[in-house]
Amino acid sequence: MSQITAFVRKHAERFAFDEVSSRPLGLVRILVATDILFEFVSPWVSHRVDDNTGLLVATWVMFLANWFVLFGLKTRWATILWMLSFGVIHLYYGRHLGLHNMQQPVQMFQLIVILTIAPSGRSLSIDRALEVRRADKQGVAPPPELTPHWAYDLIAIQIAAIYLWAGLDKTDPAWLRGERMEHYWLYW
């Protein structure tokens, strides 16, 4: 029993207290922001949402915050604003009101929530460049580019969940009989 307790304690301490490089998290921040710009601009441009003022405002707030997140300027506040506006668009207009093109990006919303609670602006950002410049002017070493290990674990869980649900989706009878593949083949 003590080996199990030691194993759990070791991994719990690693999860809570270990720090690792924040550069991969900064790269994830940049990739998610870029993906949102290029994948979701088309259904959310103003001519497709101009009949709903609230959706139009939420969309523009989300895109403005997205640019701040992409370049890493005021990243903590920008990711909070990004998550709130994306959440309004996705959850209220997409899920609650049923606008089909607003309810699709479930995984993107989950990644934005993870980036909001994880300190993703410590590397590859304007915030980092400003910290280094400030430290140079003061004659001290710049703060290290470290982030808690749990941020990586959350992203790994997110990726595992995507593959889990994709795999489970392919266990229905129509997929196993080949009907879906036949449909894709005939109508592609």
Side-chain angles (χ1 to χ4, degrees):
M1 189 65 169
S2 64
Q3 290 178 344
I4 295 173
T5 307
F7 176 80
V8 169
R9 183 176 183 169
K10 175 184 151 193
H11 287 287
E13 287 177 357
R14 189 201 79 192
F15 179 79
F17 301 114
D18 278 4
E19 291 187 327
V20 292
S21 173
S22 61
R23 287 188 180 183
L25 193 59
L27 187 59
V28 168
R29 183 196 80 239
I30 292 168
L31 291 175
V32 170
T34 304
D35 188 35
I36 287 174
L37 282 177
F38 290 107
E39 188 174 335
F40 300 119
V41 163
S42 176
W44 289 351
V45 290
S46 62
H47 71 276
R48 295 193 183 173
V49 297
D50 60 359
D51 58 336
N52 191 323
T53 307
L55 180 58
L56 181 64
V57 169
T59 301
W60 283 106
V61 168
M62 190 271 302
F63 281 127
L64 179 66
N66 194 56
W67 283 106
F68 275 79
V69 170
L70 178 65
F71 292 109
L73 181 61
K74 303 291 183 189
T75 311
R76 293 302 274 174
W77 291 105
T79 53
I80 291 170
L81 185 62
W82 194 33
M83 181 196 62
L84 292 175
S85 58
F86 199 95
V88 166
I89 293 167
H90 172 65
L91 296 174
Y92 181 71
Y93 289 102
R95 293 290 179 189
H96 182 67
L97 296 181
L99 297 175
H100 177 68
N101 59 345
M102 302 302 166
Q103 55 182 283
Q104 297 300 325
V106 175
Q107 290 82 17
M108 282 296 152
F109 181 64
Q110 293 168 349
L111 279 171
I112 290 172
V113 170
I114 291 171
L115 289 173
T116 301
I117 61 176
S120 61
R122 292 185 179 168
S123 291
L124 305 174
S125 66
I126 294 174
D127 289 342
R128 175 67 183 171
L130 293 174
E131 281 181 359
V132 170
R133 182 198 276 172
R134 194 175 311 118
D136 285 344
K137 283 184 180 180
Q138 295 172 354
V140 296
E145 294 181 270
L146 296 176
T147 192
H149 195 279
W150 56 261
Y152 287 2
D153 291 339
L154 290 177
I155 291 180
I157 289 169
Q158 170 65 24
I159 292 170
I162 290 171
Y163 281 104
L164 172 74
W165 294 115
L168 286 176
D169 187 47
K170 290 170 180 58
T171 60
D172 68 332
W175 180 270
L176 294 175
R177 283 192 306 267
E179 292 173 10
R180 282 195 190 173
M181 290 304 293
E182 180 182 12
H183 174 79
Y184 296 148
W185 183 260
L186 291 175
Y187 296 104
W188 182 55

